[in-house]
Amino acid sequence: MKKTGNMLWGIVFIALGLIWGLNALGITNINVFFRGWWTLFIIIPSLIGVIKEGRNTWNYIWLFIGIVLLLSAQGILNLDKVSGLIIPGILIILGLSFILRDTLKGKVIEKVKELNKEENEEYYATFSGQKLNFVQRDFKGAKLNAVFGGLDLNLKDAIIEQDKAISATAVFGGIDIIVPSNVNVEVISNSIFGGVSNKATDRKENAPTIYIKAFCLFGGVEIK
């Protein structure tokens, strides 16, 4: 996903460079300083954020604000009237994000419960560290527990042909999960002074999914 972001920013700078250069040569006469041009500093990063991160609600909110300001600067919308709609618009976006998040949350929880019926292996790292490598081995799912310790689960070379579930609990500890490139990842988490970082957000068609249910208390789970 980082590569995608770099590519998008690269396209933006190349486009700006081409426009600037063609204007300098007299081939084109594109005015890059049109009315409301400054709103692009809101719109472009937000749009790239939407493409990269998808479910980050604030990207959608800033994109909405940027577009409204651009349309107002262009005289298409009356800013005095539209300004009263910005807060309602933000509230609607937040409401939709909560609804969609709850839908996803329920889906992930039910899927984890269903897949955990297979009695997945349980691993502990308590006041210690543990590294788990599945090299050319079938991965059937796992329950990971890191308490004042660290646990690394490497699935990069694991064999995953069907949906699997991982329950991850990090209490004053950390859990790193490396997933293969041919799977999708769905995450639901509950955190208290901790959090989950999911860098495996690329979507693949017709690929198995790893469902991860995480709980963090003064700890963290990183998925990459």
Side-chain angles (χ1 to χ4, degrees):
M1 191 58 69
K2 182 178 179 181
K3 293 181 180 179
T4 302
N6 290 339
M7 182 181 295
L8 292 172
W9 277 114
I11 292 172
V12 169
F13 284 117
I14 289 172
L16 289 174
L18 287 173
I19 292 172
W20 205 310
L22 292 173
N23 283 349
L25 293 172
I27 299 174
T28 60
N29 186 25
I30 301 173
N31 183 11
V32 294
F33 296 106
F34 53 87
R35 285 184 300 171
W37 63 270
W38 52 270
T39 61
L40 295 180
F41 288 101
I42 300 174
I43 293 172
I44 291 176
S46 301
L47 184 59
I48 291 176
V50 167
I51 296 172
K52 285 177 60 182
E53 303 172 22
R55 296 182 188 127
N56 189 324
T57 306
W58 285 105
N59 288 327
Y60 289 97
I61 290 175
W62 282 111
L63 180 61
F64 167 73
I65 293 173
I67 292 174
V68 168
L69 292 175
L70 175 61
L71 295 177
S72 298
Q74 290 287 319
I76 298 173
L77 297 176
N78 187 313
L79 182 58
D80 292 334
K81 294 181 179 179
V82 172
S83 60
L85 298 176
I86 289 181
I87 292 179
I90 292 174
L91 292 175
I92 290 171
I93 294 173
L94 287 172
L96 289 173
S97 72
F98 281 120
I99 292 172
L100 295 175
R101 190 180 302 167
D102 285 343
T103 301
L104 174 63
K105 180 177 179 179
K107 175 185 175 183
V108 174
I109 290 175
E110 290 302 317
K111 198 68 178 180
V112 170
K113 286 182 179 178
E114 176 187 340
L115 295 173
N116 275 341
K117 292 178 182 178
E118 301 175 5
E119 297 184 355
N120 298 334
E121 291 289 336
E122 193 158 6
Y123 303 93
Y124 291 90
T126 305
F127 292 98
S128 63
Q130 184 174 179
K131 295 183 181 294
L132 306 170
N133 290 294
F134 285 77
V135 179
Q136 297 303 313
R137 291 166 51 196
D138 287 327
F139 177 70
K140 299 180 180 179
K143 296 178 182 178
L144 311 176
N145 302 278
V147 182
F148 291 96
L151 201 157
D152 296 341
L153 174 63
N154 190 342
L155 300 176
K156 185 177 180 180
D157 298 312
I159 300 173
I160 303 176
E161 298 177 345
Q162 297 179 338
D163 293 347
K164 300 299 177 184
I166 296 175
S167 295
T169 301
V171 179
F172 291 94
I175 297 175
D176 288 343
I177 303 173
I178 301 176
V179 299
S181 58
N182 62 336
V183 301
N184 293 315
V185 176
E186 295 286 0
V187 181
I188 186 64
S189 65
N190 292 299
S191 302
I192 303 174
F193 297 105
V196 176
S197 171
N198 179 20
K199 299 178 181 177
T201 54
D202 288 329
R203 302 296 300 177
K204 295 92 178 175
E205 294 293 332
N206 302 318
T209 299
I210 297 179
Y211 294 89
I212 300 176
K213 180 182 177 184
F215 172 74
C216 303
L217 174 63
F218 290 97
V221 175
E222 183 173 0
I223 304 156
K224 52 192 175 180

